[in-house]
Every structure is written in structure tokens, then in C-alpha cells.
Amino acid sequence: DAKTTQPPSMDCAEGRAANLPCNHSTISGNEYVYWYRQIHSQGPQYIIHGLKNNETNEMASLIITEDRKSSTLILPHATLRDTAVYYCIVRTSGTYKYIFGTGTRLKVLA
Amino acid sequence: NAGVTQTPKFRVLKTGQSMTLLCAQDMNHEYMYWYRQDPGMGLRLIHYSVGEGTTAKGEVPDGYNVSRLKKQNFLLGLESAAPSQTSVYFCASSYRAPSGQPQHFGDGTRLSIL
């Protein structure tokens, strides 16, 4: 599985867009990118995933660069409840395992 | 929707005691996983199962055993608990991997070994 690199922490003003970057320069063609978040040591919450194309759902948007070596999770209008640790994970299609890094601690400021 | 349910939520054990953590999912998922999370770290995979009656080792399997007798349940056992096993344990489940289906997590079991 490809390794991912994320900044350890970020701040974002409430109501603004939060853009969380992730580098996965060794990603291969059949590896998906997943984003999860963890609030107050609760179970990780699935946000979004993608393979090649940009994706959007009710929670967030995922932008994957054309060379697939990096991606950005966008929370369009951050609220205080979005304060959490965000994990970017790359997993090979057909395998079973997530390799978690230490994630990005996002703090949304009032 | 229950999703993934873990019992118990909290437990304190003495060194050398044994216990079993239960994970149950109601989504008819084929795959199930057990992770542990230590302070300031991401989750690490202990064991996983790709179907009823099958189990496999993850990154940190030592000191743990698992069983998957029913599709909906995945049990994690500690035969002789050690202080190093103090952690938060998360269970997850998913559909078959090839379609990229995400894993869904329970709320965790907080285990302290004295």
C-alpha cells in the first residue's frame, strides 16, 4: 500500500472552506484514496473516497490531481463540529488493509 | 441503523486475566477487521477476516486471537492480558474489496490493563 503524507495540524475559520492536502506520490493505478475523520477518539467516520475522478457528496469534495500523486479534501463551509483528526488512506483494490498514518488535526475556529 | 456494534465499551482488567471483545455488524458485510489505537497514533490492524470461518494476521497480531464463527460476528480474545495491551480497540466491516467499498467502524472498546 502506498504511504501518505499529511500536515500534522491546520486551522480554519468557521464558515470558510477547509482544504486538507495529502501526498501519495507512490500510488499505483488501482489504489483508491479514502478520507476518514475521528472526533474525540470516537470510531473513524467515513467521509469520501475516489480512484481517479473528483468526487463530491453531502459531506465533502475530493480533488485528485491528474497524476494521482496528491489529493485534497474540501469541507466547503467548516463548522465547529468539523474539528477532528482527518486521515488520508490509500488502499489497493482487492486488498483488505488500511494503513493509517497520524493524520491532520483540523481545528475550526469561531 | 445499528451498523457496527462493539461490546463492552469500557473494561478494566488485571494483568494475566483473559477477556473477549465482541463485534457485531448488521450490514451483511463479508470482511471484518480489528484495530487498536494508542495515544497520538493512527489505527493499527491486529487481525482481519474475509469471510465466515476465516481469519488472518494484520500488523500487530501478537497476544491476540480471533474467531469468525458467524458472518455477522468477529471476536477478539486476549488470553493473558498485559499492560502493553492497554488501548482503544476498534472493529470495522466492509463489503468485498474490489469495488473500493469503504470500511465502517464501531465506536470502540476502551481497555485498561493494570
Side-chain angles (χ1 to χ4, degrees), chain A residues 54-97:
Chain A
N54 298 338
E55 302 288 344
T56 296
N57 63 21
E58 66 278 3
M59 291 182 66
S61 294
L62 173 61
I63 308 299
I64 303 174
T65 58
E66 191 170 345
D67 64 6
R68 302 187 68 244
K69 293 183 184 300
S70 66
S71 61
T72 300
L73 177 74
I74 301 173
L75 308 178
H77 305 287
T79 70
L80 298 178
R81 289 177 293 180
D82 292 322
T83 293
V85 177
Y86 287 77
Y87 294 100
C88 168
I89 300 163
V90 174
R91 189 191 78 177
T92 303
S93 177
T95 67
Y96 319 115
K97 294 173 280 188

Side-chain angles (χ1 to χ4, degrees), chain B residues 30-48:
Chain B
E30 292 87 359
Y31 300 162
M32 296 187 75
Y33 317 80
W34 276 107
Y35 295 85
R36 62 176 287 174
Q37 185 175 32
D38 299 309
M41 299 179 65
L43 281 68
R44 292 182 292 168
L45 183 65
I46 305 171
H47 286 282
Y48 63 99

Side-chain angles (χ1 to χ4, degrees), chain B residues 27-69:
Chain B
M27 296 173 282
N28 203 32
H29 286 165
E30 292 87 359
Y31 300 162
M32 296 187 75
Y33 317 80
W34 276 107
Y35 295 85
R36 62 176 287 174
Q37 185 175 32
D38 299 309
M41 299 179 65
L43 281 68
R44 292 182 292 168
L45 183 65
I46 305 171
H47 286 282
Y48 63 99
S49 168
V50 301
E52 185 176 327
T54 71
T55 63
K57 294 180 180 179
E59 300 173 72
V60 288
D62 294 342
Y64 304 96
N65 56 75
V66 289
S67 64
R68 182 104 180 264
L69 300 179

